């Protein structure tokens, strides 16, 4: 039974990775469900065989009485805003005054969800938290564990902290609100509120039922990895098994940024999730360090906000 359980855990985690992270399932849902039921039976019979990263744990554990407060060793900053092309050109001028004209930017979709911090030790998820006020957040590990696209065990046994945005896809939002209306419950105003409401539940089974998703967008303690470009950091996150947003693009001028931004103003409604803007970051980590941060925000990044 031990080998059977191990094989099933690994196989099901691989299937879930292909389905939720790569969006390229290799087996039909019925096959996944059949194998999962088999594993549930084995683990019920031999509880000691249930590993911390067993797929049977994705449905949520015991109900918490409260969320513990946690401190962010590295503050989770907020982003300065840009509202038009001129703001973007001003940002670019400030950057080039600081680090010279040889600058590349990474453009990323700004997902309209909830910023989260995830700490892994030797490849295992040990803590997930909300941003809170940037210094103090809430420990919502039990809820974040239920997000199928978030790895419990990384592909390499590394220790690091990553940041990203947890969100509810539009389709899940519409289905959830339909169910709430049928039950005469108050519908959620938008997917962001629905995601926040789901992650604030003390019962992880509720979060597990809400089809939440997450895109990781940065490494907090990147110094330890030896990576020197943000774009390489995102590639590294993918190698570790994280889900990153594939629409990102590295450009070599603010003109390239403006072209990318204007392109997404049109294409925004076609996305399967809400975005409220575009985040633009200096790609070189050396240049990021040279520019530094204010008390609130990095000088090397800006959020272009779409008109509400
Ligand atoms: C570097 O700091 C940040 N980077 C980000 N990147 C993306 N894609 N989306 C965000 N919401 C975001 N937020 C912050 C504070």
């Amino acid at each position: 039974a031990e080998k059977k359980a191990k094989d099933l855990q690994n196989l099901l985690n691989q299937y879930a990775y292909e389905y939720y992270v790569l969006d390229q399932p290799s087996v039909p849902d019925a096959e996944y469900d059949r194998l999962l039921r088999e594993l549930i039976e084995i683990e019920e019979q031999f509880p000691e065989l249930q590993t911390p990263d067993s797929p049977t744990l994705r449905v949520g554990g015991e109900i918490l009485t409260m969320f513990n407060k946690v401190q962010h060793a590295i503050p989770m900053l907020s982003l300065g805003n840009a509202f038009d092309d001129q703001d973007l050109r001003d940002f670019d001028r400030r950057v080039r005054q600081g680090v010279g004209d040889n600058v590349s930017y990474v453009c990323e979709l700004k997902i309209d969800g909830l910023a989260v911090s995830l700490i892994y030790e030797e490849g295992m998820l040990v803590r997930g938290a909300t941003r809170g006020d940037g210094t103090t957040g809430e420990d919502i590990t039990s809820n974040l564990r239920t997000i199928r696209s978030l790895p419990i065990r990384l592909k390499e046994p590394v220790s690091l902290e990553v940041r990203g945005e947890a969100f509810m896809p539009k389709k899940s939002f519409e289905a959830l609100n339909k169910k709430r209306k049928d039950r005469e419950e108050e519908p959620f105003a938008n997917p962001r509120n629905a995601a926040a409401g789901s992650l604030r539940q003390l019962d992880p089974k509720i979060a597990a039922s809400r089809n939440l998703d997450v895109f990781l967008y940065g490494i907090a303690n990147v110094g330890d990895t030896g990576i020197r470009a943000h774009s390489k950091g995102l590639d590294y996150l993918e190698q570790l098994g994280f889900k990153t947003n594939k629409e990102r693009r590295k450009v070599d001028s603010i003109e390239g940024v403006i072209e990318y931004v204007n392109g997404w103003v049109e294409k925004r409604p076609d996305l399967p999730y809400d975005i409220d803007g575009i985040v633009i970051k200096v790609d070189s980590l050396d240049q990021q360090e040279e520019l530094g941060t204010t008390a609130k925000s990095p000088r090397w990044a800006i959020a272009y906000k779409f008109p509400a």
Side-chain angles (χ1 to χ4, degrees), residues 40-262:
I40 289 170
E41 272 166 39
I42 295 177
E43 290 184 358
E44 268 164 5
Q45 211 178 346
F46 306 99
E48 72 282 1
L49 294 181
Q50 184 173 57
T51 54
D53 69 331
S54 173
T56 59
L57 291 168
R58 287 291 190 177
V59 294
E62 76 281 353
I63 301 173
L64 302 181
T65 54
M66 58 169 279
F67 291 121
N68 295 320
K69 293 283 182 215
V70 295
Q71 298 305 313
H72 296 298
I74 300 167
M76 291 182 74
L77 300 176
S78 54
L79 291 170
N81 291 331
F83 297 99
D84 56 29
D85 294 1
Q86 190 50 50
D87 289 344
L88 291 174
R89 294 186 199 285
D90 292 347
F91 167 69
D92 175 53
R93 184 171 34 75
R94 293 193 300 272
V95 166
R96 285 185 293 112
Q97 268 164 357
V99 297
D101 286 346
N102 178 17
V103 179
S104 293
Y105 293 113
V106 177
C107 304
E108 302 172 12
L109 300 185
K110 189 172 183 301
I111 311 300
D112 196 2
L114 219 62
V116 291
S117 148
L118 299 147
I119 295 178
Y120 288 78
E121 281 168 12
E122 280 135 53
M124 293 302 287
L125 174 61
V126 295
R127 195 191 88 179
T130 62
R131 177 180 178 283
D133 65 7
T135 307
T136 305
E138 288 185 320
D139 184 330
I140 55 166
T141 310
S142 52
N143 285 337
L144 290 174
R145 276 184 185 284
T146 70
I147 298 182
R148 297 337 186 251
S149 62
L150 183 71
I152 304 290
R153 176 197 298 277
L154 301 179
K155 290 181 180 299
E156 289 158 38
V158 295
S159 300
L160 80 174
E161 178 181 349
V162 296
R163 270 86 189 263
E165 198 86 1
F167 65 96
M168 185 180 289
K170 289 176 184 170
K171 275 200 173 30
S172 310
F173 171 69
E174 279 137 28
L176 174 62
N177 265 357
K178 186 183 173 322
K179 236 189 285 179
R180 289 175 76 91
K181 280 197 192 96
D182 294 350
R183 292 195 298 233
E184 264 127 53
E185 287 174 4
E186 183 72 17
F188 284 105
N190 55 53
R192 194 217 158 280
N193 288 7
S198 304
L199 289 172
R200 256 204 298 272
Q201 294 292 328
L202 289 166
D203 177 0
K205 288 183 180 55
I206 296 176
S209 72
R210 295 283 174 85
N211 300 312
L212 296 171
D213 204 338
V214 63
F215 284 122
L216 282 308
Y217 57 61
I219 305 170
N221 40 10
V222 74
D224 314 2
T225 59
I227 288 164
R228 301 315 304 150
H230 171 65
S231 50
K232 294 277 181 279
L234 295 175
D235 297 343
Y236 178 60
L237 289 181
E238 276 177 26
Q239 285 162 34
L240 292 177
F242 287 111
K243 185 170 185 174
T244 64
N245 191 282
K246 63 183 186 326
E247 307 298 351
R248 64 179 179 273
R249 187 194 293 175
K250 187 170 157 226
V251 297
D252 296 332
S253 70
I254 198 66
E255 294 314 320
V257 168
I258 290 169
E259 184 189 332
Y260 180 88
V261 165
N262 294 333

